[in-house]
Amino acid sequence: MNTDAMNTIDSTTPAAGNWAVAAEHFATPDATALRRAYYAEVAGRYWKRPVTEAEIDEGLRDDPADGLVPPTGQFMVGRLDGTPRACGGIRLLDPVTAELTRVYVDPRARGTGGGAALLAALEAEARALGAGRVRLDTRSDLVEARALYARQGYQEIPAYKTGPYAEHWFEKVLG
């Protein structure tokens, strides 16, 4: 099992602000608030309206994060200057393939390097879990996410799974 020191990635370039990304259980108050913000954004975009707290509760119940714990996964929180502003999970699909899920950067922190710092930490965790590649699926309307993945070396691939919200599939071979 990894220690917190092994699961922390820092990005302190002036343009990026001060990002620290570390493993954190998905049920901590900060992780929960970020997962709720993630769901509110992706559901709101999909439904083209604000979501209610009850809808967020239902969405999180229907999509539990309990697989995002060692030894098969990990949840991570990114903090910008100490404030929680990003999150994401990694889970093993098979012994050599990990999947990104619930990747989110607060709109107030986009463009500050948090997405890159978060992906670097998630990829490091995938390697620690034994994965040689990372995959993900996303939707067409999540243009910021798709641009982030492309900038970080993810290539669009044919569908590797089906789902009601999967419209684009990406993969990155880890070096």
Side-chain angles (χ1 to χ4, degrees), residues 36 39-40 47 49-58:
R36 293 181 71 79
Y39 190 82
W47 294 330
R49 64 167 175 79
V51 296
T52 66
E53 292 297 314
E55 289 170 328
I56 294 170
D57 292 341
E58 181 181 343

Side-chain angles (χ1 to χ4, degrees), residues 102-144:
R102 296 172 187 80
V103 174
Y104 173 75
V105 177
D106 185 308
R108 296 169 290 184
R110 290 181 185 157
T112 65
L118 179 62
L119 287 180
L122 289 165
E123 291 166 7
E125 187 60 35
R127 284 184 198 91
L129 292 170
R133 66 181 172 205
V134 176
R135 289 183 170 174
L136 66 102
D137 66 81
T138 191
R139 298 190 328 236
S140 294
D141 63 321
L142 300 176
V143 294
E144 301 92 341

